[in-house]
Amino acid sequence: MARPIEFDTQAARESAMVLFWRKGYLASSLPDLLEEMGISRGSFYAAFRDKRSLFVECIDLFAERTHEMLARGRARLAPLDAVRRFLERNFLRADDRHSGNGCMLVNTVIELSGVDAELSARASAHLQDLQAEFEACLLESGFPKARSAELAAFLMTLNEGLRVSSRRNVPRRQQLERIDTAFRLIGSAAA
């Protein structure tokens, strides 16, 4: 009979997600993961099967958190204000220890495109879901269907570019200026 798992799997998964987010899938070795998660090799395999399976769980967890962040904004703000707040979130909190990590989903697509089509496609599908949420916000704001789809694609391109720029340590002020410009363009499209 297998021994019961004697550690907090959610906390271990969280730690792994942060490591993958910061270093990427390929650069995160099993010893790195074990150290970050504070568990033994045997515990790792008993709880998560292998590195790839854990990474899939982490991608899905990151996507879930991303969607929750936008949903929280939509619950208390006008739809376009919620999207804007979502885009600004990494650049407004100077103490956020993850702000320079970019987006784990964008990072995964960049890192694994041409290397691991399945993992890259999984991250890409989560980004596509986020784009659909942007489109829903635009529709709710009164934009016609075709214009909503067009602007949602624009906002996703902006989102992806902002996340890559954050990895490059582009100053926050410049990032916020890019968001301001995008929303001025969207505002003129509504007029």
Side-chain angles (χ1 to χ4, degrees):
M1 182 167 90
R3 287 181 49 187
I5 295 173
E6 297 179 359
F7 63 93
D8 183 345
T9 57
Q10 183 59 31
R13 189 178 296 106
E14 293 275 341
S15 296
M17 182 184 73
V18 171
L19 181 68
F20 284 134
W21 185 8
R22 187 176 69 246
K23 291 182 73 172
Y25 177 70
L26 299 174
S28 297
S29 68
L30 184 57
D32 291 340
L33 285 163
L34 298 176
E35 181 178 334
E36 191 77 19
M37 297 165 78
I39 61 174
S40 70
R41 185 177 296 263
S43 294
F44 176 87
Y45 287 116
F48 303 108
R49 205 172 76 207
D50 56 33
K51 175 182 164 181
R52 183 186 182 84
S53 298
L54 175 61
F55 187 70
V56 167
E57 289 183 34
C58 290
I59 288 174
D60 293 348
L61 177 61
F62 188 92
E64 179 183 316
R65 298 258 173 88
T66 299
H67 295 295
E68 287 172 358
M69 186 179 301
L70 183 55
R72 282 192 306 273
R74 287 184 77 181
R76 65 185 209 295
L77 300 169
L80 282 181
D81 292 338
V83 173
R84 183 181 184 124
R85 179 70 182 140
F86 172 84
L87 294 171
E88 291 173 343
R89 78 186 181 352
N90 280 342
F91 310 109
L92 295 177
R93 296 180 296 186
D95 63 339
D96 186 356
R97 66 187 193 278
H98 302 303
S99 64
N101 290 348
C103 168
M104 186 178 177
L105 302 172
V106 173
N107 297 348
T108 298
V109 171
I110 292 169
E111 176 189 17
L112 298 178
S113 179
V115 176
D116 189 318
E118 185 181 326
L119 291 177
S120 181
R122 187 177 198 100
S124 185
H126 285 307
L127 289 168
Q128 194 63 36
D129 292 342
L130 181 60
Q131 183 173 322
E133 290 183 46
F134 290 167
E135 185 174 344
C137 288
L138 289 154
L139 282 167
E140 191 178 326
S141 296
F143 287 91
K145 176 77 174 143
R147 181 53 62 110
S148 293
E150 176 184 49
L151 291 173
F154 169 70
L155 285 169
M156 181 50 69
T157 300
L158 174 67
N159 178 60
E160 292 167 348
L162 290 169
R163 304 311 168 207
V164 172
S165 293
S166 75
R167 297 287 309 233
R168 290 182 34 232
N169 295 315
V170 171
R172 291 170 190 254
R173 178 187 47 77
Q174 289 178 16
Q175 301 282 39
L176 292 170
E177 288 170 359
R178 291 169 184 161
I179 294 169
D180 287 340
T181 299
F183 279 87
R184 272 197 311 277
L185 291 171
I186 290 170
S188 67

